[in-house]
Amino acid sequence: MVVSAQDLSLRYLARIVDVSEAAPSRHFSGIDELLATIAASGYRDLAALRIAIRDSKDTALAKAYRMMRVHVEFAQRQNGLFSLMIGALAIKSGWAHTDLKLVTHVAWSMEHGLATLILSNRAPRADTNVALPKLIDFVVMMLLGAITAGPDHLQSVIELCAVVQKSAVTRTARKRGKANA
């Protein structure tokens, strides 16, 4: 029987592993701590795979390819765990459970987009003098920064963009009005 993270409880877990209902409470303060522990384990597993690639003798391009491929393969093999890994960070940062699929999709989109640009020799651009590992780190940190900033920060950015867009529309309308006068 498959149970989603939202439907899991410490009591349910205790019944499945055949221990007293109080046993999990001795190790975890609640279901959120248990899920965070499981997510942290997933990050450690993925990090170990990526460290092995980082320490290999492959070229930078081959390492970038393998790093991103191992991420996607990990997500495919460990679908629930991968969603939990992104979801635990998102929930801790204030995102609603209903936003988790969107947050996970954005994470995948950013990584896939960067991988595609790297593999097509379009990133990093030759005229920027940016090292590939630095670019990868920056993109990943930008994503994590956006997730951890939370939904309230996103809303403030949306509002700022609306003000900028409205201002640009107003300026364009004024220019058209002057041109027609």
Side-chain angles (χ1 to χ4, degrees), residues 1 3 17 32 42 47 55-56 68-69 80 84 89-90 95 100 102 114 121-122 127 131 133 138 143 145 147 165:
M1 172 191 253
V3 176
V17 296
D32 289 340
D55 294 344
S56 73
M68 292 177 193
R69 184 176 177 111
L84 180 63
L89 176 63
W95 294 95
L100 295 185
L102 179 62
L114 181 59
N121 293 319
R122 295 174 60 200
D127 64 338
F138 186 78
L143 170 65
I147 293 171
Q165 184 179 13

Side-chain angles (χ1 to χ4, degrees), residues 107-130:
W108 175 82
S109 296
M110 286 193 63
E111 183 160 90
H112 178 75
L114 181 59
T116 301
L117 290 170
I118 290 168
L119 294 176
S120 65
N121 293 319
R122 295 174 60 200
R125 288 189 356 227
D127 64 338
T128 62
N129 198 26
V130 173

Side-chain angles (χ1 to χ4, degrees), residues 10-24 26-27:
L10 291 180
R11 286 185 179 155
Y12 178 80
L13 180 65
R15 284 192 298 271
I16 288 177
V17 296
D18 199 28
V19 297
S20 75
E21 288 189 3
R26 292 186 194 113
H27 302 281

